[in-house]
Amino acid sequence: MSTPDESVAGIHCRLDELLAERGMTLTRLSEIVGVSIVNLSVLKNDRAKAIRFSTLIAICDALGCEVGDLLVRR
């Protein structure tokens, strides 16, 4: 069941799937991107309410993906 915030945003972060496909850990991504594991975990678990464009670009660069591969509409 979705929470009210989740249904309004309707955005799903595929970070977990992308990390698994690349054999990368959240810890390693954190080191590469310079974002705390806690903040990446919030994003990974669809609990983020916002993300900076610079962070989004850094994550996509580290994972070799496009924004549309990382964030999808539910």
Side-chain angles (χ1 to χ4, degrees):
M1 181 173 216
S2 63
T3 64
D5 286 339
E6 208 174 35
S7 62
V8 172
I11 301 292
H12 169 63
C13 181
R14 296 186 59 246
L15 185 55
D16 219 16
E17 297 104 294
L18 294 173
L19 287 170
E21 288 171 9
R22 286 149 179 80
M24 187 183 295
T25 64
L26 200 61
T27 301
R28 181 65 184 132
L29 182 63
S30 172
E31 293 167 353
I32 294 169
V33 175
V35 174
S36 74
I37 294 172
V38 172
N39 285 341
L40 288 176
S41 183
V42 166
L43 183 63
K44 180 181 80 131
N45 293 311
D46 292 331
R47 294 193 174 147
K49 296 190 186 280
I51 183 169
R52 292 175 190 249
F53 286 144
S54 58
T55 301
L56 192 55
I57 291 167
I59 291 170
C60 288
D61 285 348
L63 294 175
C65 69
E66 296 295 325
V67 174
D69 299 325
L70 180 64
L71 301 175
V72 296
R73 285 194 69 177
R74 280 210 167 152

